Amino acid sequence: MDHEDMKSFMAIDDRLSVLIIAADYAITIAIALLAIKAHHPLITIVAVPLIAGRQVAFLNLVHAAAHHSLFSKRRTNYSVDLFIGYPIFDAVRPYRSYHLLHHREFTRKDPDRFDYLEERLEGHDDGWWRRTWEVIIKPICGFDGIAFVRATVDQARDNPWWALKLGAYWIVVVGTFWWAGWLSYLLLYWILPLVWLYPVFYNWAELSDHFAVKNEARNQRGLFYLLFIKGHEMYHAVHHRYPRIPFYRVRAAGRYLSSVGENIEETRGVLDFVRILYRRPLAQPTADSR
């Protein structure tokens, strides 16, 4: 597809980006307030994964800023950590440094570009129980959360200035909630989902994006992906081909590509995700075989 045909989808609307950030905050706060008001264990059990899904959406905003597609001015994309990065212990610059490497590996069709997924699933030799343990049971038991904490500590060591600003941010947040008498709410409705389920959903999203895919990436549709593991970053295959398209226009871009005959693999819900999980890795073309 000619790059010129896709330019109309690359327009960035700063006002819409601000509105989406505000909406993510409003939805998260509304979920927490509803759970606090209901004061029922079942409502809390529902609220925690829903909030973790919104935390994934915050990461998607960091992802958009890292591609300079959240705001039209490049420097503005690096000025929003306080609102979208620090709340999830991340930031645009360190995220961009390793994420663009991921894109380069897939663009070049590096032969080891899928290794980070296949190593976790023991390549071709694992059975259904091994995958169930590695992808569902073990992460939900907290192992992905431990890995997330370790990765955050490593990132802080590599980026001391970011670590200092992040620490100052969280001192203010924790102090404010403690002063207001809401510290338990912060722990239950933000820290718990962030350390427990947010890393699980992140890794499930990576599997959905790239594991055993027929080409380089697949698109996603449906409430399961929207609410929990993909947030604003649906239609991942389109994103890999055109990473400068803002996330709120990528759906329209995907429909356009389909209308002109593009056939892109797609997953639509929990059952499709389970099928991906137990699928055998496919032989992928390398840069030398193109």
Side-chain angles (χ1 to χ4, degrees):
M1 184 60 57
D2 189 346
H3 180 73
E4 294 295 323
D5 294 340
M6 305 303 293
K7 278 190 173 180
S8 61
F9 298 104
M10 297 182 185
I12 298 172
D13 187 334
D14 290 351
R15 293 172 298 180
L16 182 56
S17 295
V18 170
L19 182 62
I20 290 170
I21 293 171
D24 280 334
Y25 271 95
I27 293 169
T28 303
I29 293 170
I31 293 170
L33 288 177
L34 178 61
I36 293 168
K37 182 69 174 178
H39 193 60
H40 193 282
L42 290 179
I43 302 299
T44 299
I45 289 171
V46 172
V48 167
L50 284 174
I51 290 174
R54 287 304 86 204
Q55 290 168 338
V56 171
F58 275 83
L59 178 66
N60 300 151
L61 297 172
V62 173
H63 170 259
H67 282 287
H68 303 153
S69 64
L70 186 60
F71 292 101
S72 55
K73 292 184 178 180
R74 178 172 295 196
R75 67 179 182 179
T76 306
N77 288 286
Y78 294 105
S79 303
V80 291
D81 286 337
L82 184 68
F83 305 103
I84 63 175
Y86 296 164
I88 57 171
F89 293 93
D90 215 329
V92 174
R93 290 188 186 277
Y95 180 90
R96 176 179 168 84
S97 67
Y98 64 81
H99 181 70
L100 294 191
L101 177 61
H102 165 79
H103 273 267
R104 285 195 293 270
E105 289 174 346
F106 275 80
T107 300
R108 297 191 305 244
K109 296 187 183 297
D110 287 355
D112 59 352
R113 64 195 183 281
F114 294 98
D115 285 359
Y116 75 106
L117 296 174
E118 294 182 8
E119 286 174 0
R120 178 169 187 169
L121 298 181
E122 300 298 319
H124 297 261
D125 300 326
D126 59 316
W128 71 270
W129 167 246
R130 177 73 180 188
R131 291 197 181 183
T132 303
W133 167 253
E134 289 291 340
V135 179
I136 299 176
I137 299 175
K138 187 177 176 181
I140 290 177
C141 287
F143 285 85
D144 280 9
I146 293 171
F148 169 69
V149 171
R150 288 174 176 170
T152 302
V153 171
D154 289 342
Q155 182 164 290
R157 289 172 178 167
D158 293 338
N159 301 273
W161 179 237
W162 167 77
L164 183 63
K165 291 189 289 185
L166 179 69
Y169 169 88
W170 275 102
I171 287 172
V172 172
V173 170
V174 171
T176 300
F177 274 80
W178 175 80
W179 175 81
W182 300 338
L183 189 58
S184 61
Y185 298 144
L186 177 67
L187 295 174
L188 180 58
Y189 294 111
W190 190 259
I191 301 301
L192 176 63
L194 182 64
V195 176
W196 177 32
L197 291 179
Y198 165 75
V200 178
F201 292 168
Y202 172 84
N203 287 318
W204 285 0
E206 288 293 319
L207 286 171
S208 171
D209 291 340
H210 297 294
F211 182 68
V213 70
K214 294 176 182 177
N215 292 303
E216 297 301 307
R218 60 173 64 86
N219 288 337
Q220 295 86 8
R221 291 174 59 186
L223 283 177
F224 169 67
Y225 291 101
L226 178 65
L227 294 179
F228 299 110
I229 70 174
K230 292 300 298 181
H232 300 308
E233 202 183 311
M234 313 274 272
Y235 294 84
H236 194 72
V238 178
H239 166 71
H240 259 264
R241 293 183 60 179
Y242 302 99
R244 291 301 304 277
I245 295 178
F247 61 87
Y248 44 80
R249 301 194 195 281
V250 74
R251 179 182 181 185
R255 288 180 171 177
Y256 171 73
L257 291 172
S258 296
S259 73
V260 296
E262 293 283 336
N263 185 18
I264 301 174
E265 185 178 344
E266 187 174 86
T267 174
R268 300 190 178 195
V270 176
L271 290 180
D272 279 355
F273 175 76
V274 172
R275 293 188 187 104
I276 291 167
L277 169 59
Y278 295 106
R279 185 183 294 180
R280 292 290 136 186
L282 303 175
Q284 298 291 338
T286 65
D288 294 334
S289 62
R290 282 181 291 176

Short mmCIF file of all heavy atoms in Angstrom, two decimals, residues 208-256:
data_model
loop_
_atom_site.label_atom_id
_atom_site.label_comp_id
_atom_site.label_asym_id
_atom_site.label_seq_id
_atom_site.Cartn_x
_atom_site.Cartn_y
_atom_site.Cartn_z
N SER A 208 -1.03 -11.71 22.17
CA SER A 208 -2.08 -11.41 21.20
C SER A 208 -1.52 -10.71 19.97
O SER A 208 -1.93 -10.98 18.84
CB SER A 208 -3.14 -10.53 21.85
OG SER A 208 -4.06 -10.05 20.90
N ASP A 209 -0.56 -9.83 20.18
CA ASP A 209 0.02 -9.06 19.07
C ASP A 209 0.83 -9.92 18.12
O ASP A 209 0.71 -9.80 16.89
CB ASP A 209 0.93 -7.96 19.62
CG ASP A 209 0.17 -6.86 20.32
OD1 ASP A 209 -1.03 -6.72 20.09
OD2 ASP A 209 0.81 -6.14 21.13
N HIS A 210 1.68 -10.81 18.67
CA HIS A 210 2.75 -11.38 17.85
C HIS A 210 2.95 -12.89 17.93
O HIS A 210 3.68 -13.43 17.09
CB HIS A 210 4.08 -10.72 18.22
CG HIS A 210 4.14 -9.25 17.96
ND1 HIS A 210 4.09 -8.72 16.69
CD2 HIS A 210 4.23 -8.19 18.81
CE1 HIS A 210 4.16 -7.40 16.78
NE2 HIS A 210 4.24 -7.05 18.06
N PHE A 211 2.36 -13.58 18.89
CA PHE A 211 2.69 -15.00 19.02
C PHE A 211 2.01 -15.83 17.94
O PHE A 211 0.80 -15.73 17.71
CB PHE A 211 2.29 -15.54 20.39
CG PHE A 211 2.66 -16.99 20.57
CD1 PHE A 211 4.00 -17.37 20.65
CD2 PHE A 211 1.70 -17.98 20.61
CE1 PHE A 211 4.36 -18.71 20.77
CE2 PHE A 211 2.04 -19.31 20.75
CZ PHE A 211 3.38 -19.68 20.83
N ALA A 212 2.80 -16.68 17.25
CA ALA A 212 2.30 -17.61 16.24
C ALA A 212 1.45 -16.89 15.19
O ALA A 212 0.45 -17.41 14.71
CB ALA A 212 1.51 -18.73 16.89
N VAL A 213 1.87 -15.69 14.82
CA VAL A 213 1.12 -14.91 13.85
C VAL A 213 1.54 -15.30 12.44
O VAL A 213 2.67 -15.71 12.20
CB VAL A 213 1.35 -13.40 14.11
CG1 VAL A 213 2.78 -12.99 13.74
CG2 VAL A 213 0.33 -12.55 13.39
N LYS A 214 0.62 -15.17 11.49
CA LYS A 214 0.92 -15.58 10.11
C LYS A 214 1.85 -14.59 9.42
O LYS A 214 2.64 -14.97 8.57
CB LYS A 214 -0.39 -15.72 9.34
CG LYS A 214 -1.27 -16.85 9.85
CD LYS A 214 -2.59 -16.91 9.11
CE LYS A 214 -3.47 -18.02 9.68
NZ LYS A 214 -4.81 -18.06 9.03
N ASN A 215 1.72 -13.32 9.78
CA ASN A 215 2.64 -12.32 9.24
C ASN A 215 3.45 -11.74 10.39
O ASN A 215 4.08 -12.48 11.11
CB ASN A 215 1.85 -11.26 8.47
CG ASN A 215 1.23 -11.83 7.19
OD1 ASN A 215 1.94 -12.36 6.35
ND2 ASN A 215 -0.08 -11.73 7.07
N GLU A 216 3.43 -10.43 10.59
CA GLU A 216 4.23 -9.85 11.65
C GLU A 216 3.43 -9.53 12.91
O GLU A 216 3.95 -9.56 14.01
CB GLU A 216 4.91 -8.56 11.15
CG GLU A 216 5.89 -8.79 10.01
CD GLU A 216 7.00 -9.74 10.39
OE1 GLU A 216 7.67 -9.52 11.41
OE2 GLU A 216 7.18 -10.74 9.66
N ALA A 217 2.15 -9.19 12.73
CA ALA A 217 1.30 -8.82 13.87
C ALA A 217 -0.14 -9.03 13.46
O ALA A 217 -0.46 -9.19 12.29
CB ALA A 217 1.56 -7.37 14.26
N ARG A 218 -1.03 -9.03 14.45
CA ARG A 218 -2.45 -9.19 14.17
C ARG A 218 -3.25 -8.05 14.80
O ARG A 218 -2.80 -7.39 15.74
CB ARG A 218 -2.98 -10.54 14.66
CG ARG A 218 -2.83 -10.78 16.13
CD ARG A 218 -3.52 -12.07 16.57
NE ARG A 218 -2.95 -13.27 16.01
CZ ARG A 218 -1.91 -13.93 16.54
NH1 ARG A 218 -1.31 -13.47 17.63
NH2 ARG A 218 -1.47 -15.03 16.00
N ASN A 219 -4.45 -7.83 14.28
CA ASN A 219 -5.37 -6.84 14.83
C ASN A 219 -6.22 -7.46 15.94
O ASN A 219 -6.34 -8.67 16.03
CB ASN A 219 -6.29 -6.30 13.74
CG ASN A 219 -5.57 -5.38 12.77
OD1 ASN A 219 -4.53 -4.81 13.10
ND2 ASN A 219 -6.11 -5.24 11.57
N GLN A 220 -6.81 -6.59 16.76
CA GLN A 220 -7.70 -7.04 17.83
C GLN A 220 -9.02 -6.29 17.77
O GLN A 220 -9.07 -5.10 17.42
CB GLN A 220 -7.06 -6.81 19.21
CG GLN A 220 -5.82 -7.61 19.48
CD GLN A 220 -4.55 -6.96 18.98
OE1 GLN A 220 -4.57 -5.81 18.56
NE2 GLN A 220 -3.45 -7.68 19.02
N ARG A 221 -10.08 -7.01 18.16
CA ARG A 221 -11.40 -6.40 18.27
C ARG A 221 -12.13 -7.03 19.45
O ARG A 221 -11.78 -8.11 19.89
CB ARG A 221 -12.21 -6.64 16.98
CG ARG A 221 -11.69 -5.89 15.77
CD ARG A 221 -12.45 -6.28 14.52
NE ARG A 221 -13.88 -6.00 14.62
CZ ARG A 221 -14.77 -6.35 13.69
NH1 ARG A 221 -14.38 -7.00 12.61
NH2 ARG A 221 -16.05 -6.06 13.86
N GLY A 222 -13.14 -6.33 19.96
CA GLY A 222 -13.99 -6.91 21.00
C GLY A 222 -13.74 -6.34 22.38
O GLY A 222 -12.70 -5.75 22.67
N LEU A 223 -14.72 -6.55 23.28
CA LEU A 223 -14.68 -5.98 24.62
C LEU A 223 -13.53 -6.52 25.47
O LEU A 223 -12.96 -5.81 26.28
CB LEU A 223 -16.01 -6.22 25.34
CG LEU A 223 -17.18 -5.32 24.94
CD1 LEU A 223 -18.44 -5.74 25.68
CD2 LEU A 223 -16.86 -3.86 25.21
N PHE A 224 -13.22 -7.80 25.32
CA PHE A 224 -12.12 -8.38 26.11
C PHE A 224 -10.84 -7.60 25.89
O PHE A 224 -10.13 -7.25 26.85
CB PHE A 224 -11.94 -9.85 25.72
CG PHE A 224 -10.69 -10.48 26.27
CD1 PHE A 224 -10.53 -10.69 27.62
CD2 PHE A 224 -9.66 -10.88 25.41
CE1 PHE A 224 -9.38 -11.28 28.14
CE2 PHE A 224 -8.51 -11.47 25.91
CZ PHE A 224 -8.37 -11.67 27.28
N TYR A 225 -10.52 -7.32 24.64
CA TYR A 225 -9.31 -6.57 24.33
C TYR A 225 -9.46 -5.10 24.73
O TYR A 225 -8.52 -4.49 25.25
CB TYR A 225 -8.98 -6.69 22.84
CG TYR A 225 -8.54 -8.08 22.45
CD1 TYR A 225 -9.42 -8.96 21.83
CD2 TYR A 225 -7.25 -8.51 22.74
CE1 TYR A 225 -9.01 -10.24 21.49
CE2 TYR A 225 -6.84 -9.79 22.41
CZ TYR A 225 -7.72 -10.66 21.78
OH TYR A 225 -7.32 -11.92 21.47
N LEU A 226 -10.62 -4.53 24.48
CA LEU A 226 -10.83 -3.12 24.78
C LEU A 226 -10.75 -2.83 26.28
O LEU A 226 -10.13 -1.85 26.70
CB LEU A 226 -12.21 -2.68 24.25
CG LEU A 226 -12.62 -1.23 24.52
CD1 LEU A 226 -11.70 -0.27 23.77
CD2 LEU A 226 -14.07 -1.01 24.11
N LEU A 227 -11.35 -3.69 27.09
CA LEU A 227 -11.44 -3.42 28.53
C LEU A 227 -10.21 -3.84 29.31
O LEU A 227 -9.90 -3.24 30.35
CB LEU A 227 -12.66 -4.13 29.12
CG LEU A 227 -14.02 -3.65 28.65
CD1 LEU A 227 -15.12 -4.48 29.31
CD2 LEU A 227 -14.23 -2.17 28.96
N PHE A 228 -9.49 -4.85 28.82
CA PHE A 228 -8.44 -5.42 29.66
C PHE A 228 -7.04 -5.35 29.06
O PHE A 228 -6.16 -4.73 29.66
CB PHE A 228 -8.78 -6.88 30.01
CG PHE A 228 -10.07 -7.02 30.76
CD1 PHE A 228 -11.18 -7.58 30.18
CD2 PHE A 228 -10.17 -6.56 32.07
CE1 PHE A 228 -12.38 -7.69 30.87
CE2 PHE A 228 -11.36 -6.67 32.78
CZ PHE A 228 -12.47 -7.24 32.17
N ILE A 229 -6.78 -5.93 27.91
CA ILE A 229 -5.38 -6.11 27.52
C ILE A 229 -4.89 -5.24 26.37
O ILE A 229 -3.69 -5.21 26.12
CB ILE A 229 -5.07 -7.59 27.22
CG1 ILE A 229 -5.75 -8.08 25.94
CG2 ILE A 229 -5.48 -8.46 28.38
CD1 ILE A 229 -5.32 -9.49 25.56
N LYS A 230 -5.78 -4.50 25.69
CA LYS A 230 -5.31 -3.67 24.59
C LYS A 230 -5.67 -2.20 24.74
O LYS A 230 -5.01 -1.33 24.17
CB LYS A 230 -5.84 -4.20 23.25
CG LYS A 230 -5.26 -5.55 22.85
CD LYS A 230 -3.75 -5.50 22.71
CE LYS A 230 -3.32 -4.54 21.62
NZ LYS A 230 -1.83 -4.53 21.50
N GLY A 231 -6.74 -1.89 25.46
CA GLY A 231 -7.09 -0.50 25.70
C GLY A 231 -7.21 0.32 24.42
O GLY A 231 -8.06 0.06 23.57
N HIS A 232 -6.32 1.30 24.27
CA HIS A 232 -6.34 2.18 23.10
C HIS A 232 -5.53 1.61 21.92
O HIS A 232 -5.46 2.27 20.88
CB HIS A 232 -5.74 3.54 23.46
CG HIS A 232 -6.48 4.26 24.53
ND1 HIS A 232 -7.83 4.47 24.50
CD2 HIS A 232 -6.05 4.81 25.69
CE1 HIS A 232 -8.20 5.14 25.59
NE2 HIS A 232 -7.13 5.35 26.33
N GLU A 233 -4.92 0.46 22.10
CA GLU A 233 -3.95 -0.01 21.10
C GLU A 233 -4.48 -1.21 20.30
O GLU A 233 -3.78 -2.17 20.05
CB GLU A 233 -2.65 -0.40 21.79
CG GLU A 233 -1.44 -0.39 20.89
CD GLU A 233 -0.19 -0.85 21.60
OE1 GLU A 233 0.07 -0.34 22.70
OE2 GLU A 233 0.51 -1.71 21.05
N MET A 234 -5.75 -1.14 19.91
CA MET A 234 -6.32 -2.17 19.05
C MET A 234 -5.72 -2.03 17.64
O MET A 234 -5.07 -1.05 17.32
CB MET A 234 -7.84 -2.02 19.01
CG MET A 234 -8.49 -1.83 20.37
SD MET A 234 -8.87 -3.34 21.23
CE MET A 234 -10.49 -3.68 20.58
N TYR A 235 -5.96 -3.00 16.80
CA TYR A 235 -5.47 -2.99 15.41
C TYR A 235 -3.95 -2.86 15.37
O TYR A 235 -3.38 -1.99 14.72
CB TYR A 235 -6.14 -1.85 14.63
CG TYR A 235 -7.64 -2.06 14.46
CD1 TYR A 235 -8.52 -1.68 15.46
CD2 TYR A 235 -8.16 -2.66 13.32
CE1 TYR A 235 -9.89 -1.89 15.33
CE2 TYR A 235 -9.53 -2.87 13.18
CZ TYR A 235 -10.39 -2.49 14.19
OH TYR A 235 -11.73 -2.70 14.06
N HIS A 236 -3.30 -3.78 16.07
CA HIS A 236 -1.86 -3.69 16.24
C HIS A 236 -1.10 -3.94 14.93
O HIS A 236 -0.02 -3.39 14.73
CB HIS A 236 -1.41 -4.69 17.30
CG HIS A 236 -0.01 -4.47 17.79
ND1 HIS A 236 0.33 -3.41 18.60
CD2 HIS A 236 1.14 -5.15 17.56
CE1 HIS A 236 1.62 -3.46 18.86
NE2 HIS A 236 2.14 -4.49 18.25
N ALA A 237 -1.66 -4.77 14.06
CA ALA A 237 -0.99 -5.01 12.78
C ALA A 237 -0.91 -3.74 11.95
O ALA A 237 0.11 -3.46 11.31
CB ALA A 237 -1.73 -6.11 12.00
N VAL A 238 -1.98 -2.96 11.97
CA VAL A 238 -1.96 -1.68 11.25
C VAL A 238 -0.93 -0.74 11.87
O VAL A 238 -0.19 -0.05 11.16
CB VAL A 238 -3.36 -1.04 11.26
CG1 VAL A 238 -3.34 0.32 10.55
CG2 VAL A 238 -4.38 -1.96 10.61
N HIS A 239 -0.87 -0.74 13.19
CA HIS A 239 0.11 0.11 13.87
C HIS A 239 1.53 -0.25 13.46
O HIS A 239 2.36 0.65 13.24
CB HIS A 239 -0.03 -0.02 15.39
CG HIS A 239 1.14 0.55 16.13
ND1 HIS A 239 1.38 1.91 16.22
CD2 HIS A 239 2.17 -0.06 16.80
CE1 HIS A 239 2.49 2.11 16.90
NE2 HIS A 239 2.99 0.95 17.27
N HIS A 240 1.86 -1.53 13.35
CA HIS A 240 3.22 -1.91 12.98
C HIS A 240 3.56 -1.45 11.57
O HIS A 240 4.72 -1.13 11.29
CB HIS A 240 3.40 -3.42 13.12
CG HIS A 240 4.12 -3.80 14.38
ND1 HIS A 240 5.47 -4.03 14.43
CD2 HIS A 240 3.66 -3.95 15.64
CE1 HIS A 240 5.82 -4.31 15.67
NE2 HIS A 240 4.73 -4.28 16.44
N ARG A 241 2.59 -1.42 10.70
CA ARG A 241 2.86 -0.96 9.33
C ARG A 241 2.92 0.56 9.24
O ARG A 241 3.69 1.11 8.46
CB ARG A 241 1.78 -1.50 8.40
CG ARG A 241 1.84 -3.02 8.23
CD ARG A 241 0.82 -3.52 7.25
NE ARG A 241 1.01 -2.94 5.93
CZ ARG A 241 0.24 -3.24 4.87
NH1 ARG A 241 -0.75 -4.10 5.02
NH2 ARG A 241 0.47 -2.70 3.71
N TYR A 242 2.10 1.23 10.05
CA TYR A 242 2.03 2.70 10.01
C TYR A 242 2.04 3.24 11.44
O TYR A 242 1.01 3.67 11.96
CB TYR A 242 0.76 3.15 9.27
CG TYR A 242 0.67 2.62 7.86
CD1 TYR A 242 -0.10 1.50 7.57
CD2 TYR A 242 1.39 3.23 6.83
CE1 TYR A 242 -0.17 1.01 6.28
CE2 TYR A 242 1.32 2.75 5.53
CZ TYR A 242 0.54 1.63 5.27
OH TYR A 242 0.48 1.14 3.98
N PRO A 243 3.19 3.24 12.10
CA PRO A 243 3.24 3.59 13.52
C PRO A 243 2.96 5.05 13.83
O PRO A 243 2.73 5.38 15.00
CB PRO A 243 4.68 3.21 13.91
CG PRO A 243 5.45 3.21 12.64
CD PRO A 243 4.50 2.77 11.59
N ARG A 244 2.93 5.91 12.83
CA ARG A 244 2.65 7.32 13.11
C ARG A 244 1.15 7.64 13.07
O ARG A 244 0.75 8.77 13.34
CB ARG A 244 3.38 8.22 12.09
CG ARG A 244 4.90 8.23 12.26
CD ARG A 244 5.32 8.70 13.65
NE ARG A 244 4.79 10.02 13.98
CZ ARG A 244 5.36 11.16 13.60
NH1 ARG A 244 6.49 11.15 12.91
NH2 ARG A 244 4.83 12.31 13.93
N ILE A 245 0.31 6.67 12.75
CA ILE A 245 -1.13 6.91 12.78
C ILE A 245 -1.58 6.96 14.24
O ILE A 245 -1.32 6.03 15.00
CB ILE A 245 -1.90 5.80 12.04
CG1 ILE A 245 -1.55 5.84 10.54
CG2 ILE A 245 -3.40 5.96 12.23
CD1 ILE A 245 -2.23 4.75 9.73
N PRO A 246 -2.26 8.03 14.67
CA PRO A 246 -2.75 8.09 16.05
C PRO A 246 -3.68 6.93 16.35
O PRO A 246 -4.41 6.46 15.48
CB PRO A 246 -3.49 9.43 16.10
CG PRO A 246 -2.94 10.23 14.97
CD PRO A 246 -2.59 9.24 13.90
N PHE A 247 -3.68 6.48 17.60
CA PHE A 247 -4.44 5.28 17.96
C PHE A 247 -5.93 5.46 17.72
O PHE A 247 -6.64 4.49 17.47
CB PHE A 247 -4.18 4.90 19.42
CG PHE A 247 -4.58 5.94 20.43
CD1 PHE A 247 -5.87 6.00 20.92
CD2 PHE A 247 -3.65 6.86 20.90
CE1 PHE A 247 -6.23 6.95 21.87
CE2 PHE A 247 -4.01 7.82 21.83
CZ PHE A 247 -5.30 7.87 22.31
N TYR A 248 -6.45 6.71 17.76
CA TYR A 248 -7.87 6.92 17.55
C TYR A 248 -8.24 6.95 16.06
O TYR A 248 -9.42 7.10 15.72
CB TYR A 248 -8.35 8.20 18.25
CG TYR A 248 -7.44 9.39 18.07
CD1 TYR A 248 -7.45 10.16 16.92
CD2 TYR A 248 -6.54 9.74 19.08
CE1 TYR A 248 -6.61 11.24 16.76
CE2 TYR A 248 -5.69 10.82 18.94
CZ TYR A 248 -5.73 11.57 17.78
OH TYR A 248 -4.88 12.64 17.61
N ARG A 249 -7.26 6.82 15.17
CA ARG A 249 -7.55 6.74 13.73
C ARG A 249 -7.16 5.38 13.13
O ARG A 249 -7.41 5.13 11.97
CB ARG A 249 -6.80 7.84 12.98
CG ARG A 249 -7.15 9.25 13.43
CD ARG A 249 -6.66 10.29 12.45
NE ARG A 249 -6.67 11.62 13.03
CZ ARG A 249 -7.76 12.38 13.15
NH1 ARG A 249 -8.92 11.92 12.74
NH2 ARG A 249 -7.68 13.59 13.68
N VAL A 250 -6.55 4.52 13.94
CA VAL A 250 -6.02 3.28 13.38
C VAL A 250 -7.14 2.32 12.98
O VAL A 250 -6.99 1.53 12.05
CB VAL A 250 -5.03 2.63 14.38
CG1 VAL A 250 -5.75 1.99 15.55
CG2 VAL A 250 -4.12 1.65 13.70
N ARG A 251 -8.28 2.39 13.66
CA ARG A 251 -9.42 1.55 13.26
C ARG A 251 -9.90 1.91 11.86
O ARG A 251 -10.13 1.03 11.03
CB ARG A 251 -10.56 1.72 14.27
CG ARG A 251 -11.79 0.89 13.93
CD ARG A 251 -12.90 1.14 14.94
NE ARG A 251 -14.08 0.36 14.64
CZ ARG A 251 -15.23 0.45 15.31
NH1 ARG A 251 -15.33 1.29 16.33
NH2 ARG A 251 -16.25 -0.30 14.98
N ALA A 252 -10.04 3.21 11.59
CA ALA A 252 -10.46 3.65 10.26
C ALA A 252 -9.42 3.26 9.22
O ALA A 252 -9.77 2.85 8.09
CB ALA A 252 -10.67 5.16 10.25
N ALA A 253 -8.15 3.36 9.57
CA ALA A 253 -7.09 2.94 8.66
C ALA A 253 -7.19 1.44 8.36
O ALA A 253 -7.00 1.01 7.22
CB ALA A 253 -5.72 3.27 9.25
N GLY A 254 -7.49 0.64 9.40
CA GLY A 254 -7.66 -0.79 9.19
C GLY A 254 -8.81 -1.10 8.27
O GLY A 254 -8.72 -1.99 7.41
N ARG A 255 -9.92 -0.39 8.43
CA ARG A 255 -11.07 -0.61 7.55
C ARG A 255 -10.73 -0.23 6.11
O ARG A 255 -11.16 -0.90 5.15
CB ARG A 255 -12.25 0.22 8.05
CG ARG A 255 -12.89 -0.33 9.32
CD ARG A 255 -14.05 0.54 9.77
NE ARG A 255 -14.79 -0.08 10.86
CZ ARG A 255 -15.82 0.48 11.47
NH1 ARG A 255 -16.21 1.69 11.11
NH2 ARG A 255 -16.44 -0.15 12.45
N TYR A 256 -9.97 0.85 5.95
CA TYR A 256 -9.58 1.24 4.60
C TYR A 256 -8.70 0.17 3.96
O TYR A 256 -8.90 -0.20 2.80
CB TYR A 256 -8.83 2.57 4.64
CG TYR A 256 -8.21 2.94 3.31
CD1 TYR A 256 -8.99 3.37 2.25
CD2 TYR A 256 -6.83 2.82 3.11
CE1 TYR A 256 -8.43 3.67 1.03
CE2 TYR A 256 -6.26 3.13 1.90
CZ TYR A 256 -7.06 3.55 0.86
OH TYR A 256 -6.51 3.85 -0.36
#
